[in-house]
Amino acid sequence: MSVHIGAKSGEVADKILLPGDPLRAKYIAETFLENPQCYNEVRGMLGFTGTYKGQRVSVQGTGMGMPSAAIYANELIREYGVKKLIRVGTCGGIKSDVHVRDLVLAQAAATNSAIIRHDFPKHDFPQIADFDLLYKAFNIAKEQGFTVHVGNVLSDDVFYKDDLTDTFRLGEHGVLAVEMEAAVLYYLGAKYGVQALALMTVSDHLVTGEETTAEERQTTFDEMMIVGLETLIA
Ligand code: HPA
């Protein structure tokens, strides 16, 4: 096992979906995977391996925010040999033409986190998606009838902010949405030479106040999961 993951060597597949919520990991495993086996319960951060259309796939909760997501991604990549990582989650729209239930593919992620700056204090290191995964996910999402936006997201360190001025300004500069994990996932993908992508559905809009109901979130989430799984095995 690694420090935070109780799986034995070989129990984690080399392709993985990463929802923030561990109960979402359980739901995905039980709903979409055949023969899912739970490999981790440490800290309640559930992880499962099963098969999807005959290929081994894992799904692991990461918790919220970059420090937590980075712990799981580091251990999955370095200790368990994971090669394809797709974050699946929600984001808040900030660009005006992004609407709730749309799909956002993070082509790149801006961030106000210092997590990458610790390694590269004198450089702006662009955090970009793996192009192969991005291209596949885009086509699969289009085929499925999603309204898809591809572009920059903001990976924010702070959910409850006193001042959203800069967030809104980023929206005016074309940043599609705000979430809390993509940048570090992309950074670790680059650092360790593995493929990473973040795909999110828009759960709310910070500027317009548009919101989704719990039922709409569930339906959209299920549809997004198919995009994530099909991209992993494509
Ligand atoms: N901030 C960060 N992450 C989010 C948000 C938000 O407003 N909405 C959905 N995910």
Side-chain angles (χ1 to χ4, degrees):
M1 67 175 284
S2 61
V3 176
H4 301 91
I5 302 175
K8 296 191 195 78
S9 166
E11 284 185 338
V12 184
D14 64 356
K15 306 174 178 67
I16 200 159
L17 287 185
L18 301 172
D21 178 353
L23 290 180
R24 278 266 157 94
K26 183 169 191 276
Y27 172 83
I28 295 164
E30 290 174 353
T31 310
F32 298 102
L33 302 187
E34 281 150 34
N35 193 25
Q37 308 286 327
C38 181
Y39 64 71
N40 188 52
E41 292 186 340
V42 178
R43 288 176 184 252
M45 203 56 83
L46 303 172
F48 300 82
T49 299
T51 57
Y52 180 76
K53 298 192 173 172
Q55 295 202 39
R56 277 183 94 227
V57 168
S58 293
V59 52
Q60 169 70 55
T62 65
M64 290 177 280
M66 284 176 271
S68 182
I71 287 172
Y72 291 98
N74 259 290
E75 293 180 23
L76 290 166
I77 296 166
R78 290 159 56 181
E79 312 273 341
Y80 294 98
V82 177
K83 302 284 185 226
K84 282 188 192 184
L85 304 94
I86 301 187
R87 155 164 159 68
V88 283
T90 57
C91 59
I94 49 177
K95 189 164 181 259
S96 56
D97 64 352
V98 168
H99 298 288
V100 295
R101 303 198 60 188
D102 290 356
L103 191 70
V104 168
L105 298 180
Q107 180 179 15
T111 188
N112 53 12
S113 163
I115 205 160
I116 297 146
R117 229 178 294 142
H118 284 302
D119 285 355
F120 287 98
K122 293 183 185 163
H123 296 76
D124 291 330
F125 189 120
Q127 306 311 320
I128 59 165
D130 175 77
F131 182 73
D132 177 55
L133 290 183
L134 179 67
Y135 181 75
K136 285 174 176 159
F138 176 76
N139 287 310
I140 291 164
K142 279 282 185 196
E143 278 163 25
Q144 231 183 286
F146 260 109
T147 302
V148 195
H149 303 270
V150 180
N152 235 329
V153 299
L154 168 63
S155 297
D156 206 321
D157 249 355
V158 186
F159 188 89
Y160 294 108
K161 281 179 134 166
D162 287 344
D163 184 353
L164 285 166
T165 311
D166 281 353
T167 308
F168 292 163
R169 281 181 61 225
L170 285 167
E172 288 159 11
H173 284 66
V175 176
L176 302 167
V178 55
E179 55 83 65
M180 303 187 78
E181 292 85 15
V184 83
L185 188 64
Y186 289 0
Y187 177 59
L188 294 173
K191 184 171 181 180
Y192 294 110
V194 298
Q195 295 178 272
L197 176 68
L199 56 105
M200 280 92 52
T201 54
V202 181
S203 58
D204 53 280
H205 200 291
L206 274 66
V207 181
T208 64
E210 239 188 307
E211 282 177 355
T212 39
T213 64
E215 195 184 337
E216 282 174 331
R217 277 199 295 278
Q218 190 61 49
T219 311
T220 321
F221 184 82
D222 283 3
E223 289 164 0
M224 171 174 60
M225 228 41 62
I226 304 290
V227 177
L229 285 164
E230 291 288 334
T231 304
L232 273 184
I233 66 162

